[in-house]
Protein backbone atom coordinates (compact mmCIF):
# COMPACT_ATOMS: atom_id res chain seq x y z
CA UNK A 1 0.00 0.00 0.00
CA UNK A 2 1.22 3.46 -0.75
CA UNK A 3 -0.78 4.89 2.15
CA UNK A 4 1.08 3.14 4.95
CA UNK A 5 4.28 4.25 6.62
CA UNK A 6 7.39 2.10 6.97
CA UNK A 7 8.09 0.86 10.46
CA UNK A 8 11.61 1.24 11.71
CA UNK A 9 11.13 -1.27 14.51
CA UNK A 10 8.63 -4.13 14.76
CA UNK A 11 7.84 -6.34 17.74
CA UNK A 12 8.26 -9.84 16.30
CA UNK A 13 7.96 -11.83 19.53
CA UNK A 14 6.64 -15.27 18.62
CA UNK A 15 6.85 -14.68 14.87
CA UNK A 16 9.42 -16.01 12.47
CA UNK A 17 11.62 -13.31 10.97
CA UNK A 18 10.37 -13.99 7.45
CA UNK A 19 6.70 -13.81 8.44
CA UNK A 20 7.32 -10.68 10.49
CA UNK A 21 9.08 -9.02 7.58
CA UNK A 22 6.27 -9.84 5.16
CA UNK A 23 3.21 -9.13 7.29
CA UNK A 24 4.19 -6.28 9.55
CA UNK A 25 6.51 -4.04 7.58
CA UNK A 26 4.17 -1.11 7.54
CA UNK A 27 1.81 0.66 9.90
CA UNK A 28 -1.24 2.54 8.66
CA UNK A 29 -2.70 5.54 10.45
CA UNK A 30 -6.46 6.16 10.57
CA UNK A 31 -6.76 8.62 7.64
CA UNK A 32 -4.80 6.15 5.51
CA UNK A 33 -7.02 3.28 6.64
CA UNK A 34 -10.14 5.27 5.74
CA UNK A 35 -8.80 5.80 2.20
CA UNK A 36 -7.78 2.16 1.82
CA UNK A 37 -11.03 0.55 2.96
CA UNK A 38 -13.48 3.28 1.95
CA UNK A 39 -15.10 3.54 5.38
CA UNK A 40 -15.54 6.52 7.67
CA UNK A 41 -13.92 6.85 11.09
CA UNK A 42 -17.18 6.22 12.92
CA UNK A 43 -17.91 3.10 10.85
CA UNK A 44 -14.41 1.73 11.44
CA UNK A 45 -14.67 2.17 15.22
CA UNK A 46 -18.22 0.75 15.27
CA UNK A 47 -17.00 -2.32 13.40
CA UNK A 48 -14.06 -2.67 15.82
CA UNK A 49 -16.53 -2.62 18.72
CA UNK A 50 -18.57 -5.35 17.00
CA UNK A 51 -15.45 -7.42 16.34
CA UNK A 52 -15.75 -7.02 12.56
CA UNK A 53 -12.62 -4.96 11.87
CA UNK A 54 -8.98 -5.39 12.93
CA UNK A 55 -8.06 -3.69 16.19
CA UNK A 56 -5.39 -1.01 16.02
CA UNK A 57 -2.06 -1.29 17.82
CA UNK A 58 -0.97 1.36 20.27
CA UNK A 59 1.97 3.40 18.95
CA UNK A 60 2.25 5.90 21.74
CA UNK A 61 0.30 7.61 24.46
CA UNK A 62 -2.26 9.07 22.05
CA UNK A 63 -1.51 7.35 18.76
CA UNK A 64 -2.72 4.12 17.17
CA UNK A 65 -2.22 2.46 13.81
CA UNK A 66 -3.15 -0.70 11.96
CA UNK A 67 -0.77 -3.37 10.70
CA UNK A 68 -0.82 -3.57 6.93
CA UNK A 69 -1.04 -7.37 7.10
CA UNK A 70 -4.16 -7.21 9.30
CA UNK A 71 -5.86 -4.83 6.87
CA UNK A 72 -4.90 -6.92 3.86
CA UNK A 73 -6.31 -10.06 5.48
CA UNK A 74 -9.53 -8.21 6.36
CA UNK A 75 -9.92 -6.88 2.81
CA UNK A 76 -9.31 -10.35 1.36
CA UNK A 77 -11.92 -11.85 3.68
CA UNK A 78 -14.44 -9.21 2.56
CA UNK A 79 -13.93 -10.19 -1.09
CA UNK A 80 -15.04 -13.75 -0.37
CA UNK A 81 -18.26 -12.53 1.30
CA UNK A 82 -19.60 -10.81 -1.85
Amino acid sequence: FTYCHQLTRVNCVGLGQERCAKMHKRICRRPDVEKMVGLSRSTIYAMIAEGNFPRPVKLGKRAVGWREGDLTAWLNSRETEV
Side-chain angles (χ1 to χ4, degrees), residues 2 4 14-15 21 26-27 34 38 42-43 59 64 68 70 79 82:
T2 58
C4 302
L15 296 176
R26 297 172 186 249
I27 198 78
E34 291 175 18
S42 58
T43 301
L59 302 175
V64 297
E68 182 182 42
D70 293 346
E79 290 175 5
V82 175

Side-chain angles (χ1 to χ4, degrees), residues 7-80:
L7 282 176
T8 55
R9 190 170 156 195
V10 178
N11 183 359
C12 294
V13 175
L15 296 176
Q17 287 297 328
E18 186 177 328
R19 181 171 178 216
C20 180
K22 287 181 181 178
M23 295 299 290
H24 301 284
K25 283 185 181 178
R26 297 172 186 249
I27 198 78
C28 305
R29 299 299 302 273
R30 186 190 43 80
D32 304 326
V33 173
E34 291 175 18
K35 290 176 191 173
M36 286 170 39
V37 301
L39 299 172
S40 68
R41 177 183 65 183
S42 58
T43 301
I44 289 170
Y45 282 106
M47 291 178 75
I48 290 169
E50 295 168 356
N52 296 323
F53 195 82
R55 296 191 71 78
V57 294
K58 193 164 184 143
L59 302 175
K61 209 172 192 182
R62 294 174 43 128
V64 297
W66 284 260
R67 290 181 189 98
E68 182 182 42
D70 293 346
L71 295 171
T72 301
W74 181 81
L75 286 169
N76 290 338
S77 74
R78 300 291 289 181
E79 290 175 5
T80 59

